[in-house]
Each structure stands twice: as C-alpha cells, then as structure tokens.
Amino acid sequence: MVHSLVSLCAREVVSDHSSSPTWLRWVPRELYGALLEAAFACYRPLAVGELVQRWPERTLRLGGRRKTGQIAPSRLCIQALLLAVVRGLADQRSALQLLDICGLQGDEGGMGDPMGGWSLTVALCTMVIQAKVGAQRAQRKEGERERKRFSALERDRDLKRERGERMRVKGLQDDETCREKTASKGPTSEKELIKGVRRRMEMERKRGIVVTGLKGSKLETEGKEADCEVLVHVRADLFVNARSWERVRVALSTSGPLKLQCRYLRVEEISVTCIRTLLNQLPHRTLLGIDIRYSSLGVAGLAELLPLLSTFPELNSLRLHYCNLDIRRNNLGQEEVLRDLSRGLANLQELRQLSLTALRLPGQLRVLLSSLPQPLEVLELPYLSLSPADLAYLSCSHHVSSLLQLDLSENCLDETTVPSIRRLLSQASSSLQHLSLSGCGLTDALLGLLLPSLGGCWALKSLALALNPLSMAGLVDLVRMAARMPCLRQLLYPNPLEDYQPGLPNLPSSTQLLEWPLDESSGISMTSNQLSKVLMDSGRSDLFLTCDLLNYDKDSVD
C-alpha cells in the first residue's frame, strides 16, 4: 500500500505526542482529517482525543467499508474518540454537530484489538448517558452561579432602598424645616409639591420594573435548563441483545446534548415486545435496515412488527435469521396471519433487500414476495425449504430482472427444479452480480444442465457452489466455464469427491460433505494445482479460486 506525502507527514507528526501542544495551535482545518486518519492507523489514542475534541468541521465521518488489508480501529482509539466528543461539548473550539461512525465496528478478537459491534453499542449508550449527567451537573453549577448573582443583586437593591429611605426621611425633615422657615414668607407653591410627589412615584415605578425583570430572567433561565439543547447527533449501527437492551433503551430515551441515531439495527435473542419498544424510540428518518436473529417471533410476531416498520420511510433492508417462522405446522388461523403478513410487507415502500434464513416457509414465497411494491435487488433465501412451486414463481416474478444478489443455498435442487433455475438465470443474466448455490445437492449431471445458463450471466462477479457433490471432472468443467465469464472475479468451488477419505456415501448431503474428513496428504494440493493450470490455460489471471468456505467474502470484489 503506497501512502501519499500528506499521509506520511501526518504519521510523523502524530507519532510524538509531546509536541502536540506546539502544532495543534497552528494546523489548518484542512489537515485535521489526514492527522486523525494517521492517529487511528498508528494507534495514537491521545492524538485522536485531542483532534476530535477541537474538531473544526460540523461533520465527522468514520467507519464505512474498509479497504482490502485495512485493519479496524483499535479499542483504545475508539474509547478516546468517544471521550473527546463528550469533552468537546464544553470546548468553544469544537464545531462538531454530526458524528457518523456507521461501520466503525470490527470483529471481536481480531488483529489490533478492534471493538466489536456489541461493545461499541454499549460504549455509545454509556457516552450518551454520561453526557446527559455532565450537562445536568453543568446546569446545576450555572444555576448556582445565577442564584448567587441574583442574591447579590437583591442585596445591592436592598441597600439602595435603605439608602433612599434614609435620604427620603432626611428630605422630609429638611422640607419641614424649610416650611417652618418660610411660614412667615407665605404658603409653598402647589406646583413644586406636585413635582416632588410625581418624582417619588416615578422612582418607585422604575424600581418595580427592575425587580420584575430580574425575576423574569431567572424563570427564563430555569426554562432553558429544563429543555436541554441537542449539540451533537451521533449516527451509528446498533447491536442489541438481551444484556444490552436496557442500556440502549435508556440511551434512546435520554434527552441531552448527544442524540443517538441508528442506521442499521441488529437485535438478537430479544422478544417482540422489546423490539417494538426499540422501534418506537428510534428516530424514523435515519433507520435504513433491521436485522433480527435468533428471536422467537413466529409469523404472528412478525405480522405485529411490520406495521411499525412501515413508519420508517427510508427502510430498505429487512433480514430475518432463525426467527421460528414455521408454516409447516398446522396452526389455527394461520391463513389469516399470512394475509396480515402480506399486507404488512406491502407497506414497505422502499424495501430493496430481503433476507430470510431458515424460516421453513415451503410453498409461501408468492405470499411473501408478490405484495412487495418495488422489485428487490438483494434476495437471500438459504435454508428456506423452497418447493418447486416457489422456484417456479421466483423465476417469473417481477423481482428477478432487477436482482443483483441471489442466495439459494441449502435448498434442494433436482431435475424438476432445474427448468425454473435456468429460466431464473436467463431473466437475471444482465443484472445478477452475486449468486450462491452452495449445498443445493448439485451433481455433475445437474451442474451440466445449468452451466449454459450460468455462463450466460455475463455480469456475475462472484459464484459460490461449495458443499455440492461434484467429481473432479465436473469441477474442471465448472472452472472452464467460469474462465469464459468476463466479469467473474471469485469462484467458491466444492472439494471434489475424490478429495474425501473413503466411506463417503455416493450422494452425500451438504452436512456430510462439511463433516467428513478430507484426505489432506495429497488430494487438496493436487486439486488446487490442476484447477490453477486450467485457469492459466484459459488466459485468466484475475479470477480467484477458493474452497475456503469460512473465509469466503463476496463483498471483497466490489
């Protein structure tokens, strides 16, 4: 990775923290971004804190999709960032109004000690709550100073009133003496007496206005203290489980100088009631997607949540993983619930990505997809027990020509479903970029029927066919076809049957292929060398072949 001259200089500057008081006063605002990036890359949490505390721009965006080989920010740097945001609330040099850290989280236990999504969510919520406490403490101090100032003003006003009272008494005594002296000269002028009375009344009126004005300013101050102004909006991806749910709920309901916003919400192992509570507290304009995992929603629970999801106008992604939606059971009122589910999905006007994993909904794909108002771009249906009727509907639905990504993993394919898959691939050939047919039971014969249709998907960038019972001959045919696809950059191929140790059934399932031991002495290396030779003979050097299912990442080609 080649660094620019600005990046190299920024790394040198932040490497010595003892010199930061010198250069921080003179650095132009245009270089703050490069310095902050260097501080994260060089693991300099103190430099991160000082830069963020006096951030000169209104917006600070971190995170996002990382480049290949780029390591997620360390835990210490992220903690320094959050602490600096709180300190910057009282720093006049800070102009920060929006902190966007969507995608900043890393993998727990990864290189560089990154902060995972669960830990980052707890840290964010703690920051929001602490900022509220700090603001209340500052308001109490300000209120105490205001009370002391008002008390001092009242003491000064009382002293002036006593002094004026003494002057008035003295003036009356002087008037009495004057009247005694002038009694022989004649009566006092009536106009002069009226003038003196009017002057005293005017002074008393002005004194009343001053008192009222002081009291009014105190009430206004108390009103401002009650309504705390939001100084910085914090936008992030939130990860919520049963342990962190209460902390997230409190942070979302807190009204303080920091306001938490959510781009993508991921919840695990919490009830429908808790999910509904979170959705009611989230700002409606910022939520783009929701991911619900390992929660016993049931079809009725999902039908209950869909009306709430329709209140988020920008929601474009819905992911449901292992949420106990089982239509195969004969439950009373199931058809009515399915109709409610269909009506709820019809209200998601901006939905473009739908992922349903292991929901066991055979024969119901038409109910789920036909009501969606807009064609989907991403459709993931692994472990869904799709029936031939489901695949037939999908191949001619209004979604197929717009699909960019399709995942049909672990759905059994056979001779009866091959025509539907071929029709589907033909309809999606100009748009489909990522396809996964892993664990679908594809034999050499079935794959041979699909290869012409797969080869016609000229926009395809990644193809996953792991855990299919293919022989070495079928695998070679697959690689030769892949080499003729101009846009294909990644191919996840299955280990051929010859690479497994003896005893494997003739038509093994994907589970058996995953658990059966491989012959690691020579089979794997021979397969890799032979496939690399086929690829080299085809003149392709930009196509990456792998059988590593755990580390396969289709997004790396985008």
Side-chain angles (χ1 to χ4, degrees):
M1 183 178 180
V2 180
H3 298 284
S4 65
L5 180 60
V6 173
S7 176
L8 292 173
C9 293
R11 287 169 179 258
E12 185 65 25
V13 169
V14 300
S15 61
D16 184 10
H17 182 261
S18 61
S19 64
S20 61
T22 304
W23 56 263
L24 269 175
R25 289 179 298 173
W26 308 108
V27 64
R29 61 189 300 173
E30 292 82 7
L31 293 179
Y32 267 75
L35 289 169
L36 184 60
E37 183 179 350
F40 273 113
C42 299
Y43 304 104
R44 301 292 179 182
L46 294 178
V48 170
E50 290 184 337
L51 289 168
V52 173
Q53 182 175 342
R54 59 182 76 194
W55 191 253
E57 305 287 344
R58 292 184 178 182
T59 302
L60 173 56
R61 299 184 188 277
L62 299 169
R65 180 175 294 180
R66 284 182 285 275
K67 301 176 183 178
T68 304
Q70 185 179 6
I71 301 175
S74 69
R75 184 181 299 269
L76 285 177
C77 288
I78 294 178
Q79 290 173 343
L81 163 72
L82 301 183
L83 289 174
V85 171
V86 177
R87 291 197 303 267
L89 296 174
D91 196 327
Q92 296 296 327
R93 297 167 296 185
S94 176
L96 186 62
Q97 295 181 7
L98 172 63
L99 174 65
D100 190 339
I101 55 174
C102 297
L104 187 64
Q105 66 277 357
D107 297 325
E108 297 280 1
M111 295 180 59
D113 189 26
M115 182 176 285
W118 311 103
S119 301
L120 180 57
T121 297
V122 173
L124 277 174
C125 295
T126 302
M127 175 188 71
V128 171
I129 296 171
Q130 288 178 347
K132 172 66 173 179
V133 173
Q136 290 175 338
R137 189 183 302 116
Q139 288 175 355
R140 285 195 295 269
K141 290 182 180 179
E142 181 65 26
E144 184 66 19
R145 285 194 294 267
E146 183 69 17
R147 188 188 63 80
K148 291 180 179 179
R149 186 178 69 85
F150 182 73
S151 299
L153 289 174
E154 283 197 335
R155 285 196 300 271
D156 292 342
R157 189 171 63 248
D158 292 341
L159 289 174
K160 290 179 181 179
R161 187 186 300 114
E162 292 176 1
R163 190 180 300 115
E165 195 65 30
R166 288 195 298 269
M167 294 295 294
R168 189 175 64 83
V169 171
K170 183 178 179 181
L172 290 175
Q173 291 175 353
D174 292 343
D175 290 346
E176 184 65 24
T177 304
C178 183
R179 281 196 297 271
E180 290 177 355
K181 290 181 179 181
T182 58
S184 58
K185 296 181 180 181
T188 304
S189 172
E190 184 177 355
K191 290 184 179 181
E192 292 180 359
L193 289 175
I194 293 174
K195 183 178 181 181
V197 171
R198 285 180 177 175
R199 181 173 179 80
R200 287 195 296 271
M201 291 175 64
E202 184 68 20
M203 291 176 63
E204 291 292 337
R205 187 179 68 83
K206 289 182 178 180
R207 188 180 295 117
I209 291 175
V210 170
V211 173
T212 305
L214 289 173
K215 291 183 179 180
S217 65
K218 182 179 180 181
L219 292 174
E220 289 176 3
T221 302
E222 292 174 352
K224 290 180 180 178
E225 291 175 356
D227 184 17
C228 186
E229 182 183 3
V230 177
L231 300 179
V232 179
H233 293 272
V234 182
R235 186 178 301 162
D237 300 330
L238 298 183
F239 293 67
V240 187
N241 55 20
R243 290 182 296 175
S244 62
W245 177 81
E246 181 62 26
R247 178 69 61 90
V248 176
R249 185 195 65 81
V250 173
L252 288 173
S253 60
T254 296
S255 58
L258 296 180
K259 183 64 176 178
L260 191 59
Q261 299 178 355
C262 179
R263 184 186 66 163
Y264 288 107
L265 174 65
R266 174 173 169 177
V267 297
E268 287 190 8
E269 298 178 331
I270 61 177
S271 64
V272 176
T273 303
C274 295
I275 298 174
R276 187 171 59 243
T277 301
L278 287 178
L279 292 176
N280 284 327
Q281 292 180 339
L282 288 175
H284 283 211
R285 288 287 175 184
T286 58
L287 187 66
L288 299 182
I290 181 170
D291 187 344
I292 304 175
R293 304 188 179 203
Y294 314 112
S295 300
S296 297
L297 294 181
V299 180
L302 178 59
E304 181 182 348
L305 291 179
L306 286 177
L308 279 177
L309 295 179
S310 65
T311 62
F312 295 91
E314 304 297 327
L315 186 73
N316 60 35
S317 176
L318 174 61
R319 303 171 67 89
L320 304 173
H321 299 270
Y322 300 94
C323 292
N324 196 26
L325 272 69
D326 194 346
I327 303 298
R328 295 181 300 181
R329 301 173 184 174
N330 293 322
N331 297 326
L332 294 176
Q334 184 170 272
E335 302 227 345
E336 180 61 31
V337 173
L338 282 173
R339 282 194 291 270
D340 293 340
L341 192 62
S342 178
R343 286 192 291 267
L345 289 170
N347 293 325
L348 303 181
Q349 298 292 328
E350 297 299 324
L351 193 66
R352 295 294 186 277
Q353 303 178 26
L354 181 62
S355 178
L356 308 173
T357 301
L359 302 187
R360 297 187 295 274
L361 300 170
Q364 304 298 330
L365 196 61
R366 181 185 296 271
V367 176
L368 296 176
L369 301 186
S370 62
S371 60
L372 293 175
Q374 300 292 338
L376 294 173
E377 296 177 354
V378 177
L379 181 59
E380 298 175 343
L381 305 172
Y383 296 93
L384 212 65
S385 303
L386 294 176
S387 66
D390 291 328
L391 293 173
Y393 162 74
L394 182 60
S395 66
C396 59
S397 69
H398 67 292
H399 304 286
V400 65
S401 59
S402 301
L403 287 177
L404 302 177
Q405 180 176 324
L406 177 63
D407 186 353
L408 298 177
S409 300
E410 299 297 337
N411 289 284
C412 184
L413 303 180
D414 53 25
E415 292 82 356
T416 61
T417 57
V418 165
S420 298
I421 298 298
R422 294 182 63 177
R423 188 184 311 114
L424 187 154
L425 294 176
S426 176
Q427 294 293 325
S429 60
S430 61
S431 63
L432 193 61
Q433 298 179 7
H434 305 281
L435 174 64
S436 178
L437 296 175
S438 297
C440 291
L442 292 176
T443 61
D444 290 356
L446 290 176
L447 182 62
L449 296 175
L450 290 179
L451 282 181
S453 299
L454 286 171
C457 295
W458 57 270
L460 204 62
K461 296 180 180 180
S462 69
L463 175 61
L465 292 170
L467 302 178
N468 283 297
L470 297 179
S471 67
M472 190 63 201
L475 198 52
V476 169
D477 291 340
L478 172 63
V479 174
R480 286 174 178 164
M481 182 275 302
R484 294 193 296 268
M485 301 175 68
C487 295
L488 193 64
R489 294 294 178 267
Q490 273 192 349
L491 174 62
L492 176 64
Y493 64 87
N495 295 103
L497 297 177
E498 292 86 348
D499 285 357
Y500 288 89
Q501 294 184 8
L504 189 67
N506 292 330
L507 289 177
S509 65
S510 60
T511 303
Q512 291 172 325
L513 291 173
L514 183 63
E515 297 177 351
W516 203 269
L518 293 168
D519 185 6
E520 299 182 359
S521 59
S522 60
I524 298 178
S525 59
M526 288 179 58
T527 299
S528 178
N529 293 335
Q530 187 172 350
L531 295 180
S532 297
K533 185 178 183 304
V534 172
L535 201 60
M536 188 179 301
D537 293 341
S538 301
R540 287 291 298 271
S541 59
D542 57 349
L543 176 55
F544 177 65
L545 303 180
T546 179
C547 61
D548 189 354
L549 179 60
L550 296 180
N551 295 316
Y552 173 72
D553 182 15
K554 67 180 185 305
D555 295 328
S556 62
V557 300
D558 290 335

